[in-house]
Amino acid sequence: MYRNSEGYYDPTAGMAMSQAMKEYRSERKKVWSRQYGMKNRTKIYVVSPYSGDIAKNTAAAIRYCHYVINKGMMPVASHLLYPQVLDDDIPEEREMGLMFGLSLLALCNEVWVFGSRISSGMEKEIAEANRLNKPVRYISEEAMR
């Protein structure tokens, strides 16, 4: 029962407040549901070349991530993250980046391999996916069109 600031029963204001709270809770439920859906998307580990033409390969990896997102899933592309903080030319740091990536791969539901060229780093990721019995899917550039 809603009472005004002077303590009197006020059914009109009470009904208005009740309706406003119903609408607020309904809207929040929609937001929480949408956010829950995004957080719980199938996680796809993106495998694609990085070394060589780094600018071109980085742009391609970003395109592959968009492809995964457009399929309603969550991309995980460690080769877009770790080269930003680790030096690929220092063997210890390259190995660290690869191991961090393999740790992320273990958390993913599937592994998608993009492109036709398989680098040595990609071979390690594919081997790890097979060892962990993760589904591995190969996607050509033509298939993305």
Side-chain angles (χ1 to χ4, degrees), residues 64-130:
Y64 302 148
C65 288
H66 280 284
Y67 178 80
V68 171
I69 291 168
N70 290 337
K71 293 292 184 185
M73 299 174 199
M74 180 190 308
V76 176
S78 64
H79 58 304
L80 291 179
L81 170 63
Y82 294 117
Q84 304 300 313
V85 294
L86 299 170
D87 189 339
D88 211 39
D89 294 327
I90 299 172
E92 295 82 16
E93 289 193 16
R94 176 175 169 71
E95 180 184 20
M96 186 183 302
L98 285 169
M99 292 303 106
F100 288 172
L102 295 179
S103 294
L104 290 174
L105 184 150
L107 301 173
C108 292
N109 305 96
E110 297 179 25
V111 174
W112 290 8
V113 181
F114 290 89
S116 56
R117 182 173 72 89
I118 306 292
S119 68
S120 62
M122 292 170 67
E123 285 177 356
K124 290 177 184 171
E125 292 169 323
I126 294 166
E128 182 71 1
N130 289 328

Side-chain angles (χ1 to χ4, degrees), residues 5-115:
S5 61
E6 295 173 358
Y8 295 107
Y9 175 62
D10 189 346
T12 304
M15 297 263 303
M17 289 295 289
S18 175
Q19 185 60 34
M21 287 307 296
K22 279 183 188 174
E23 290 171 9
Y24 172 78
R25 283 191 295 271
S26 174
E27 190 58 37
R28 290 308 304 160
K29 252 186 188 175
K30 290 176 190 172
V31 169
W32 292 330
S33 178
R34 189 181 75 247
Q35 290 173 342
Y36 179 83
M38 282 190 278
K39 289 191 303 188
N40 291 289
R41 286 180 173 199
T42 300
K43 292 165 190 65
I44 304 299
Y45 189 85
V46 175
V47 176
S48 67
Y50 178 76
S51 61
D53 188 343
I54 292 173
K56 178 182 164 198
N57 292 338
T58 298
I62 292 168
R63 196 170 61 252
Y64 302 148
C65 288
H66 280 284
Y67 178 80
V68 171
I69 291 168
N70 290 337
K71 293 292 184 185
M73 299 174 199
M74 180 190 308
V76 176
S78 64
H79 58 304
L80 291 179
L81 170 63
Y82 294 117
Q84 304 300 313
V85 294
L86 299 170
D87 189 339
D88 211 39
D89 294 327
I90 299 172
E92 295 82 16
E93 289 193 16
R94 176 175 169 71
E95 180 184 20
M96 186 183 302
L98 285 169
M99 292 303 106
F100 288 172
L102 295 179
S103 294
L104 290 174
L105 184 150
L107 301 173
C108 292
N109 305 96
E110 297 179 25
V111 174
W112 290 8
V113 181
F114 290 89

